[in-house]
């Protein structure tokens, strides 16, 4: 009979790599040695001494990296947790028990990698957005992006730090290839290409998105999913943009789930046009709530290729 150690540090050598292996082997999440919320809070410090120009998958397995808390983590473990955050929902590698994900760092809406650079290197979130320029065309109601290979690689590099919730790319383990989601599954970086007032949702737009949430009824703060909006040829630009997005970005646009006013905080990215801005909460605006009211807040198999682990 064995007992799990309660004193295992998140920075202990192979701790994060072994967690990746357990998940890769298809072990049920409840049987994996997942992180606790307190351990998850330590992950941003890993990125404190990494050069933003570095390509994380290229870091040597045995590289010793000093964290912002003066701990040592090895390259293999750094790549393992980065891969998990990029490819898996937070519940796959963190055991929240009764804690609600919508709280602070627990939420997938907090980009842990970028948070580390923000806290320890004073690099604002929006500086990463400004580093990527994606031209687009909007003609006769049709939206198209113009992305070349160099831009694609930049998107992937930032996606690793944004994590799965915000990612515009994904890793196809079958053919060991990073791919771009362009079929009505746009993530944050693709959405962020659209600047200007014509693409900025108004309070009326946000209410409209919420009214078209599909079969997910109830509190805006606790229900999930966001349906595609089916309308005629006179569809507004922002509704067409909403339809292009994945579920997470539709929830962001509609100020739902973690992006609901009661749950938002400065660790999250809440505005696709400015990643450091907290947009106005429409639920505090006169007449903004029509119909539903929010309830009170309550206390696989992964391949090796790209990451080399």
């Amino acid at each position: 009979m064995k007992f799990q150690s309660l004193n295992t540090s998140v920075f202990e050598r192979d701790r994060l790599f072994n967690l990746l292996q357990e998940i890769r082997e298809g072990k049920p999440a409840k049987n994996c040695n997942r992180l606790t919320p307190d351990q998850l809070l330590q992950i941003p410090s890993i990125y404190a001494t990494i050069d933003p120009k570095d390509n994380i998958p290229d870091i040597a397995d045995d590289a010793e990296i000093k964290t912002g808390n003066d701990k040592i983590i090895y390259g293999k473990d750094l790549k393992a947790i980065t891969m998990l955050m990029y490819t898996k929902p937070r519940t796959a590698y963190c055991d929240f028990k009764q804690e609600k994900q919508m709280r602070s760092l627990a939420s997938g809406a907090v980009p842990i990698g970028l948070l580390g650079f923000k806290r320890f290197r004073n690099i604002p979130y929006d500086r990463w957005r400004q580093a990527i320029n994606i031209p687009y065309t909007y003609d006769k109601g049709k939206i198209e992006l113009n992305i070349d290979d160099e831009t694609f690689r930049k998107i992937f590099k930032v996606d690793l730090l944004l994590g799965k919730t915000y990612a515009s790319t994904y890793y196809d383990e079958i053919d060991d290839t990073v791919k771009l989601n362009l079929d009505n599954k746009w993530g944050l970086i693709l959405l962020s290409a659209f600047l200007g007032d014509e693409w900025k949702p108004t309070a009326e737009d946000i209410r409209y998105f919420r009214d078209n949430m599909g079969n997910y009824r109830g509190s805006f703060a606790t229900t999930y999913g966001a349906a595609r909006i089916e309308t005629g040829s006179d569809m507004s630009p922002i509704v067409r943009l909403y339809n292009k997005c994945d579920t997470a970005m539709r929830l962001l646009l509609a100020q739902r789930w973690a992006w609901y006013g009661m749950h938002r905080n400065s660790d999250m990215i809440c505005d696709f046009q400015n990643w450091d801005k907290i947009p106005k909460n429409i639920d505090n605006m006169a007449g903004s709530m029509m119909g539903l009211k929010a309830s009170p807040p309550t206390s696989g198999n992964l391949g090796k290729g790209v990451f080399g682990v």
Side-chain angles (χ1 to χ4, degrees), residues 203-204 207 280-290:
E204 289 72 21
R207 290 197 297 269
K280 186 176 295 185
N281 174 13
I282 69 160
D283 297 306
N284 288 337
M285 297 169 63
S288 64
M289 288 301 294
M290 301 179 67

Side-chain angles (χ1 to χ4, degrees), residues 113-125:
L114 291 191
L115 180 62
F117 283 104
K118 179 179 178 179
R119 285 185 175 174
F120 293 93
R121 301 291 294 270
N122 295 318
I123 301 176
Y125 288 155

Side-chain angles (χ1 to χ4, degrees), residues 207-221:
R207 290 197 297 269
Y208 182 60
F209 295 155
R210 289 178 171 186
D211 290 341
N212 287 274
M213 69 174 79
N215 295 323
Y216 302 91
R217 300 299 177 188
S219 165
F220 297 128

Side-chain angles (χ1 to χ4, degrees), residues 33-214:
N33 187 20
R34 290 180 291 172
L35 303 178
T36 66
D38 286 342
Q39 289 176 328
L40 186 66
L41 287 169
Q42 300 176 51
I43 298 300
S45 71
I46 295 175
Y47 301 88
T49 57
I50 297 175
D51 190 324
K53 297 179 182 178
D54 286 348
N55 188 18
I56 290 177
D58 293 338
I59 294 175
D61 287 356
D62 59 354
E64 296 186 12
I65 301 164
K66 190 174 183 180
T67 74
N69 296 327
D70 293 328
K71 306 291 185 180
I72 295 295
I73 186 171
Y74 288 86
K76 184 167 63 171
D77 289 306
L78 165 66
K79 292 190 288 185
I81 189 59
T82 302
M83 181 180 188
L84 282 171
M85 293 191 296
Y86 172 64
T87 58
K88 289 291 182 180
R90 206 145 287 181
T91 51
Y93 53 87
C94 184
D95 185 5
F96 293 106
K97 298 188 183 300
Q98 301 302 314
E99 184 169 347
K100 299 297 183 181
Q101 265 205 76
M102 292 175 286
R103 294 179 181 173
S104 189
L105 199 64
S107 169
V110 176
I112 290 181
L114 291 191
L115 180 62
F117 283 104
K118 179 179 178 179
R119 285 185 175 174
F120 293 93
R121 301 291 294 270
N122 295 318
I123 301 176
Y125 288 155
D126 204 56
R127 190 177 301 176
W128 300 88
R129 178 194 63 80
Q130 294 172 20
I132 300 176
N133 178 43
I134 302 177
Y136 68 87
T137 57
Y138 180 61
D139 183 40
K140 297 179 180 179
K142 186 176 182 180
I143 302 174
E144 289 188 354
L145 298 174
N146 302 304
I147 302 174
D148 57 25
D149 289 344
E150 180 181 359
T151 302
F152 180 18
R153 285 168 173 77
K154 288 181 179 179
I155 293 172
F156 169 66
K157 183 176 180 178
V158 179
D159 271 357
L160 287 179
L161 302 172
L162 283 169
K164 183 176 176 61
T165 299
Y166 291 111
S168 299
T169 59
Y170 67 99
Y171 177 47
D172 188 338
E173 61 194 65
I174 296 177
D175 56 7
D176 185 26
T177 304
V178 175
K179 297 180 178 179
L180 191 63
N181 268 324
L182 287 174
D183 186 18
N184 299 332
K185 293 183 178 180
W186 288 6
L188 179 65
I189 295 179
L190 302 189
L191 176 61
S192 296
F194 296 85
L195 304 176
D197 291 342
E198 70 272 24
W199 299 107
K200 191 173 186 63
T202 64
E204 289 72 21
D205 291 326
I206 294 170
R207 290 197 297 269
Y208 182 60
F209 295 155
R210 289 178 171 186
D211 290 341
N212 287 274
M213 69 174 79

